[in-house]
Amino acid sequence: MGCTKFSSLPFRHGRVLKDLSTTQFRIVERLYRPNLQVPSHRHTDAHLVITLRGKYVQRSDRVDAELTPWSVSFYPAGESHSASYSSMGARSLHIEISPEALSRVRAASPALDGPVICQEDRAASIAGAIYREFRASHATSSLVLDGLILQLFGEISRNPLETGNDLPPWLSRADEMIRTRFTEALTLSEIASSVGVHPVHLAREYRKYYSFTVGEKIRRLRIDYACQQISDTEYPLADIALASGFFDQSHFTVAFKNCVGTPPSVYRRSLRQTREFVPHMELSELAGS
């Protein structure tokens, strides 16, 4: 079966590590240098972005979001957006969807008429499976990837990140407290008390605006931090577990596998294999990209 033809993606920024096309999607892994500023641009075709490493802020006409490891974002064709990368740079997997496949997906998922940001554990797990299959490139990978990507579309259309200008100031303060103290043993009551609301009200409103619970958000932040430490350091996994806020390595391993889809030891090994695949493509060398 032949592969679908795609319009050229505007990849003037970053460096291509691998490019693969299936019958319905084009998948491109890219590496972005630290502090890169990508000006506003548009893609001819709709696309998903899975953040694999690093951190950056993506801005569009309708959604602004900070994307961290295993965040998933979707942008319709023609949606103007820009990006500001942190001092860590980033690695991302871009998945361009053919117009034919998109029309079938949209028939079941009207939410995909606009941009969607998803930072849920279930979506992150599917994203991890996509990346592992993409890197493996077996004879049947095209068929497997088509199925996994369609599954990911279903997940993100079910749980989009709600955005809006009516976010209560106290809820923003609560979220900031969670973001800055996620490695600590925070309780719902402690967070609610600090912003002057009842814990039940905090739990309900946080879920309403952020599409996940306070506990899920803390776990997500801990896993993101652990991913970064595994990627950028050679610290023992037990030390990373404690630094990320987990009780012990066993608890960390279970949470990491549930979220990312693979144990932390396998995740570290896969990163090393990727570096061997691109031995001279360290972020520090991309200043001219």
Side-chain angles (χ1 to χ4, degrees):
M1 185 180 293
C3 291
T4 302
K5 297 294 184 181
F6 293 95
S7 304
S8 297
L9 290 174
F11 282 155
R12 297 182 296 272
H13 303 276
R15 181 174 296 182
V16 173
L17 304 183
K18 185 176 180 180
D19 190 333
L20 182 152
S21 290
T22 73
T23 57
Q24 301 184 71
F25 307 100
R26 179 189 173 197
I27 310 170
V28 182
E29 183 179 5
R30 297 191 65 84
L31 194 64
Y32 295 90
R33 64 177 173 82
N35 303 313
L36 175 67
Q37 300 295 315
V38 177
S40 182
H41 62 284
R42 303 173 188 271
H43 295 248
T44 304
D45 293 297
H47 65 287
L48 283 167
V49 180
I50 299 171
T51 304
L52 303 171
R53 174 183 175 184
K55 183 186 297 184
Y56 60 101
V57 174
Q58 189 101 309
R59 299 181 177 88
S60 74
D61 295 336
R62 291 179 277 183
V63 174
D64 292 354
E66 182 181 72
L67 301 179
T68 54
W70 306 110
S71 298
V72 179
S73 53
F74 168 78
Y75 290 92
E79 182 80 15
S80 177
H81 58 283
S82 62
S84 299
Y85 290 83
S86 73
S87 58
M88 296 181 286
R91 178 182 285 128
S92 300
L93 200 65
H94 295 250
I95 303 173
E96 184 179 7
I97 179 171
S98 69
E100 297 80 10
L102 181 62
S103 65
R104 292 195 297 271
V105 169
R106 274 184 170 160
S109 305
L112 296 180
D113 286 339
V116 174
I117 308 297
C118 187
Q119 296 170 320
E120 296 247 346
D121 290 351
R122 291 185 298 272
S125 180
I126 300 169
I130 289 171
Y131 185 60
R132 291 193 299 277
E133 191 65 38
F134 171 77
R135 295 300 311 171
S137 297
H138 297 303
T140 58
S141 286
S142 176
L143 180 62
V144 174
L145 284 166
D146 280 350
L148 286 170
I149 293 168
L150 289 173
Q151 185 180 353
L152 182 59
F153 269 111
E155 193 60 51
I156 68 168
S157 63
R158 183 188 317 175
N159 292 300
L161 175 68
E162 294 192 27
T163 58
N165 296 323
D166 56 345
L167 184 71
W170 65 264
L171 191 57
S172 294
R173 295 197 303 273
D175 186 58
E176 180 63 23
M177 180 178 180
I178 291 168
R179 287 177 176 274
T180 57
R181 297 177 56 188
F182 65 88
T183 61
E184 302 176 23
L186 288 173
T187 66
L188 191 65
S189 295
E190 181 182 358
I191 300 168
S193 176
S194 72
V195 297
V197 300
H198 193 278
V200 173
H201 186 53
L202 168 62
R204 181 176 60 246
E205 293 301 294
Y206 198 91
R207 173 72 182 181
K208 172 184 174 182
Y209 281 92
Y210 292 102
S211 296
F212 38 74
T213 68
V214 170
E216 289 170 343
K217 178 60 174 288
I218 291 174
R219 183 175 57 205
R220 177 76 258 172
L221 290 169
R222 289 176 176 178
I223 295 298
D224 289 347
Y225 177 79
C227 284
Q228 196 65 52
Q229 291 298 300
I230 293 172
S231 175
D232 294 343
T233 76
E234 292 298 326
Y235 295 146
L237 293 177
D239 292 351
I240 292 176
L242 294 176
S244 301
F246 293 96
F247 296 120
D248 53 40
Q249 188 173 350
S250 176
H251 180 213
F252 168 56
T253 298
V254 171
F256 193 98
K257 185 175 181 180
N258 287 340
C259 185
V260 179
T262 186
S265 58
V266 175
Y267 181 76
R268 171 168 273 174
R269 186 160 61 248
S270 68
L271 288 174
R272 288 170 177 167
Q273 291 170 348
T274 299
R275 293 189 184 109
E276 291 172 1
F277 177 75
V278 282
H280 302 299
M281 292 186 180
E282 291 300 319
L283 290 173
S284 61
E285 299 177 7
L286 295 178
S289 295

